[in-house]
Amino acid sequence: VMSDSRPLISFDWAIKRLLRQKANYDVLEGFLSELLHREMKIINIPESEANAAEESSKINKVDILCESSEKELILIELQYNSELDYMHRMLYGSSKLIVDYLEKGDPYDKVRKIYSINIVYFDLGQGDDYIYKGTTEFKGIHTRDILQINAGQKKAFNIDHISAIYPEYYIIKVNRFNDLSRDSLDDWIYYFKHNAVPENSKARGLSKVAHLLKIDQMDTTTKYEYEAYIKDRVISRSMLETAKFEGREEGREEGREEGREEGIKANTLNIVIEMKKEGLEIPFIAKITKLTEDQVDKILKDNGF
């Protein structure tokens, strides 16, 4: 997949700083329309725990809650570091939204439709695909048929399937994407992975991403804040990987020290590559990693940059 060589602002930073503004709702609308295969219109990004100000201080988890023109609630979450109980948190997040948005005394048919969209940069669960969708259905124990709604329910609630009542879950495993765009949704995942938009992409919302989210359009102060944020995020991930590596080395008497040193070297290399992918300049990368600019340049050239 060919792309514009100029790096774009990462999606998590865009969510924090730009996409909450009404003028930029069309970026999120484009992504949601491609994912859900229907035209999505955001009317509000409500004040909520998900959209709380303190989120700006978190570097490995970013989320945003949107309300659609159909009164649906859409929680988009980006997660960088692996968490064993992440799926439990998905369930808690959607359940809490149901309770929070049902007014006391309201009938149960006022329960909002919830979409839980999870963009993760680790291998969540065990599976070969990079996009998974989860819905609720009821299957007959004996007949194996799927329980359907009756005519009265269809008319009263304007739905075709029971699953329309229940939360819908999406998991996008960015790191498992092989960079081959099969459709316009894949162009979005390419952006999530590489901070670049594929050439000639027709995916809804991505043309504005390519225009709005250019790093070289940032003013000096914002660029400094962005670089500091990316530095903290990349180093935090690298520290976690180093800790995992050292944990694996524990108990191995022979070669333990050499193994640890190799692990640290590998993580320094990863930090250099990740920072370059995020659009950071060589002098800044050298300063953070304590390498010379020539060493950074060699690492990048050896790895195809």
Side-chain angles (χ1 to χ4, degrees):
V1 176
M2 299 294 293
S3 65
D4 190 325
S5 60
R6 288 175 298 177
L8 302 174
I9 298 165
S10 62
F11 193 52
D12 53 335
W13 177 269
I15 283 177
K16 286 173 179 290
R17 295 298 185 91
L18 296 169
L19 303 186
R20 297 168 191 264
Q21 300 167 14
K22 201 153 198 150
N24 298 328
Y25 281 4
D26 50 346
V27 173
L28 289 174
E29 287 169 351
F31 166 58
L32 293 172
S33 297
E34 297 291 3
L35 179 66
L36 302 178
H37 300 292
R38 62 186 177 89
E39 206 65 43
M40 294 295 294
K41 182 72 176 171
I42 296 171
I43 59 167
N44 189 27
I45 294 183
E47 290 300 322
S48 67
E49 188 177 329
N51 293 332
E54 60 265 22
E55 278 300 308
S56 62
S57 65
K58 295 182 180 178
I59 55 177
N60 289 308
K61 180 175 93 68
V62 178
D63 50 25
I64 186 168
L65 178 63
C66 308
E67 184 179 13
S68 78
S69 57
E70 303 294 321
K71 297 294 184 181
E72 302 150 318
L73 296 171
I74 304 133
L75 180 60
I76 304 172
E77 182 166 325
L78 284 85
Q79 175 79 22
Y80 286 94
N81 289 349
S82 176
E83 287 186 8
L84 204 58
D85 62 352
Y86 186 84
M87 288 186 176
H88 295 78
R89 197 172 82 207
M90 287 167 51
L91 174 61
Y92 173 81
S94 59
S95 302
K96 191 171 188 302
L97 284 177
I98 290 171
V99 174
D100 286 351
Y101 281 85
L102 185 66
E103 296 289 338
K104 190 173 181 180
D106 273 354
Y108 292 126
D109 65 358
K110 297 297 183 185
V111 164
R112 301 280 197 103
K113 173 69 175 184
I114 307 292
Y115 291 93
S116 171
I117 298 168
N118 302 271
I119 303 166
V120 300
Y121 289 78
F122 58 94
D123 202 9
L124 178 61
Q126 189 171 343
D128 296 328
D129 210 327
Y130 55 94
I131 307 175
Y132 287 89
K133 175 181 177 180
T135 59
T136 299
E137 63 180 21
F138 297 85
K139 184 178 289 187
I141 292 176
H142 301 103
T143 60
R144 312 305 294 167
D145 68 315
I146 304 299
L147 186 66
Q148 304 295 329
I149 59 170
N150 60 37
Q153 291 170 315
K154 185 172 184 177
K155 184 177 180 182
F157 309 131
N158 193 30
I159 57 174
D160 293 318
H161 304 284
I162 288 176
S163 60
I165 299 169
Y166 293 87
E168 205 162 290
Y169 298 92
Y170 291 84
I171 296 171
I172 299 173
K173 301 200 288 185
V174 176
N175 291 350
R176 287 199 65 91
F177 177 56
N178 63 4
D179 295 351
L180 298 175
S181 287
R182 300 168 181 81
D183 53 35
S184 47
L185 176 58
D186 280 352
D187 289 351
W188 268 98
I189 300 173
Y190 185 92
Y191 163 56
F192 296 155
K193 185 175 180 182
H194 296 290
N195 298 336
V197 171
E199 279 187 358
N200 305 317
S201 173
K202 298 294 191 292
R204 283 172 283 191
L206 275 187
S207 59
K208 185 162 184 177
V209 166
H211 171 72
L212 179 71
L213 303 183
K214 291 176 181 173
I215 289 178
D216 56 17
Q217 289 180 349
M218 285 180 165
D219 60 53
T220 305
T221 302
T222 307
K223 189 172 183 182
Y224 175 81
E225 291 173 354
Y226 179 67
E227 288 176 341
Y229 168 78
I230 295 300
K231 178 200 77 171
D232 287 344
R233 198 188 73 196
V234 171
I235 289 178
S236 174
R237 291 177 68 187
S238 180
M239 286 173 62
L240 184 66
E241 290 303 313
T242 301
K244 287 179 181 176
F245 180 88
E246 291 180 348
R248 288 194 295 270
E249 290 298 306
E250 284 299 321
R252 297 182 186 177
E253 293 298 328
E254 196 172 331
R256 185 165 50 178
E257 208 52 48
E258 292 88 342
R260 185 174 289 113
E261 287 176 12
E262 287 300 315
I264 291 169
K265 286 179 186 175
N267 276 287
T268 299
L269 185 144
N270 287 337
I271 288 174
V272 170
I273 293 171
E274 287 297 317
M275 285 190 163
K276 181 60 179 176
K277 284 180 181 177
E278 299 289 357
L280 303 185
E281 302 296 332
I282 286 177
F284 184 81
I285 297 172
K287 180 179 176 183
I288 296 305
T289 56
K290 311 292 191 229
L291 299 172
T292 66
E293 291 185 24
D294 287 343
Q295 286 173 319
V296 171
D297 188 54
K298 183 176 187 308
I299 288 172
L300 293 174
K301 283 179 178 174
D302 288 347
N303 287 274
F305 289 91

